[in-house]
Amino acid sequence: MRMVDLIEKKRDGGALTQEEINFWINGYTNGEIPDYQVSALLMAIFYQDMTDEEITLLTQAMANSGETIDLSEIAGVKVDKHSTGGVGDTTTLVLAPLVAACGVPVAKMSGRGLGHTGGTLDKLEAIPGFQVEISKEDFIQQVNDIKVAVIGQSGDLAPADKKLYALRDVTATVDSIPLIASSIMSKKIAAGADAIVLDVTTGEGAFMKNIEDAKRLASTMVRIGKLANRQTMAIISDMSEPLGEAIGNSLEIYEAIQALKGNGPKDLMELVYVLGSQMIVVGKKADNLDEARTMLKEKLASGEALELFKQMVARQGGDTSYVDQPEKLLTAQYKFEFLAEKSGHIQKIVANEIGIAAMLLGAGRQTKEDVIDPAVGLMLHKKVGDYVKVGDILVTIYANSKNVQETRKLLAENILIGEEFIEPVLIHDIITE
């Protein structure tokens, strides 16, 4: 078998077989097939697309390219959740302990990545002492004991994806639904979950800017999951404005703790309830979504979810006093207020640009080498649809430098106030096939 023949076949619109896909994934992972040939094949896939069967075979080959996690020692249906990302995405921090409190084991492996505020791991590390790297044995034991753990992804989990993503990044082939879907699902399948709930975001702060692309990606991933014998479903959620109120690592932990105390922002809690209800149904702890939502609200009100979060922090070496006294997380040297200059309704908060405004303070990474400042970020006090008057506080800027002019400029340009009331939409669709 020759790589050039596979490139030619896909260039001309042919479908690759299991043998052919395994050949190039294994060869590239092992260093036997050069970058330039894989780049050519990726570009052919970009233009010619792939069938559902091809995408599933590609996903399985990538999942099998390294370590696969066996979670069979954990009792119950293991449910994983994945978000395609956004701005102010505190969801996992609230969702994991809340779903675990309902009896569904959440054995979550998260990444760091680039982005406006890093990843879930960066946020958890804002709690002094919190360890995201623990042994597989301790991970399994912790989930069996308290039903929840959030740790770093194994370095050998889907190594083919790591190599392919780096190549896609420099060959303008990132924006391909077959390649995005196989990248996400290969890691989910390798991580060993029995069921997968996906949050596919769309809008200004999301990778999928329009709903049609988001729906196609969601449907593709759901079909891949089912073909790989994983119960899978997806939510299409809106990321036109930041989710919740906090953007920044310590700020998002603070917001998550407030949410677990029953004081979470309306949009964040609604997304948690929608995703959590699906996780509880696929985890076989409720017969329908209404029953599942009631369970979630009861566990939140009883304080059990907050207690589980605190236990997770303790088991992973974190200082639990920060859970008891979350104001200790607010350590930025300076706080500045950004005020409304006119009266009217908030019509738009451009998520991506607001995320960049937080990143300029040091809340996220522009390159892999950047060091995140956990203390800095933004706290939104108004959301789309809210009425504001001149002088109202729109945003509090948490900074460790007095120079926040670029952040202020982006806030001024990307929070739009007008006369017309605009009703925000959070959930666009639910995809089950």
Side-chain angles (χ1 to χ4, degrees), residues 372-383:
I372 285 176
D373 183 345
V376 303
L378 306 170
M379 190 68 81
L380 307 181
H381 301 293
K382 303 291 182 182
K383 301 293 293 280

Side-chain angles (χ1 to χ4, degrees), residues 208-225:
M208 297 285 115
K209 301 298 181 190
N210 64 70
I211 293 173
E212 291 72 28
D213 284 348
K215 285 183 177 179
R216 190 186 163 213
L217 175 60
S219 296
T220 301
M221 290 195 292
V222 167
R223 288 196 295 270
I224 289 171

Side-chain angles (χ1 to χ4, degrees), residues 404-420:
V404 295
Q405 290 310 111
E406 283 297 308
T407 292
R408 283 189 176 278
K409 181 171 180 288
L410 282 172
L411 293 175
E413 292 171 351
N414 293 286
I415 299 178
L416 309 183
I417 299 171
E419 292 182 9
E420 183 186 353

Side-chain angles (χ1 to χ4, degrees), residues 76-289:
V77 179
K78 280 73 70 180
V79 183
D80 199 355
K81 167 259 176 190
H82 177 82
S83 170
T84 56
V87 182
D89 187 3
T90 314
T91 318
T92 294
L93 301 170
V94 183
L95 191 63
L98 185 52
V99 169
C102 295
V104 176
V106 181
K108 179 107 184 92
M109 293 184 187
S110 290
R112 295 185 188 278
L114 304 178
H116 308 109
T117 58
T120 301
L121 301 184
D122 298 295
K123 293 164 191 175
L124 285 167
E125 286 180 335
I127 301 171
F130 194 98
Q131 299 296 314
V132 299
E133 307 297 338
I134 64 175
S135 72
K136 181 185 167 187
E137 293 73 24
D138 287 344
F139 176 57
I140 289 171
Q141 186 64 52
Q142 181 174 321
V143 178
N144 272 328
D145 288 347
I146 66 168
K147 289 281 192 282
V148 62
V150 181
I151 67 167
Q153 214 164 263
S154 163
D156 197 36
L157 204 70
D161 175 61
K162 199 172 289 183
K163 285 194 75 173
L164 283 174
Y165 194 91
L167 192 60
R168 286 165 56 207
D169 204 27
V170 295
T171 56
T173 53
V174 168
D175 193 12
S176 161
I177 283 176
L179 298 176
I180 297 166
S182 57
S183 172
I184 291 169
M185 293 302 289
S186 64
K187 294 192 286 284
K188 294 291 109 183
I189 290 167
D194 301 314
I196 302 163
V197 173
L198 301 160
D199 176 18
V200 179
T201 53
T202 184
E204 294 280 358
F207 194 67
M208 297 285 115
K209 301 298 181 190
N210 64 70
I211 293 173
E212 291 72 28
D213 284 348
K215 285 183 177 179
R216 190 186 163 213
L217 175 60
S219 296
T220 301
M221 290 195 292
V222 167
R223 288 196 295 270
I224 289 171
K226 290 185 174 179
L227 287 167
N229 296 314
R230 303 296 199 279
Q231 191 169 351
T232 309
M233 59 80 56
I235 304 288
I236 310 291
S237 70
D238 194 82
M239 193 55 77
S240 298
E241 68 170 328
L243 181 69
E245 297 169 357
I247 307 164
N249 295 277
S250 290
L251 296 178
E252 289 184 51
I253 292 287
Y254 177 85
E255 179 176 67
I257 294 167
Q258 296 301 327
L260 289 166
K261 288 181 174 180
N263 303 314
K266 184 180 173 185
D267 58 344
L268 171 62
M269 293 313 300
E270 179 58 22
L271 185 59
V272 165
Y273 289 139
V274 170
L275 289 167
S277 297
Q278 299 285 351
M279 292 173 77
I280 288 166
V281 170
V282 299
K284 303 191 186 317
K285 292 295 179 181
D287 294 328
N288 58 65
L289 297 174

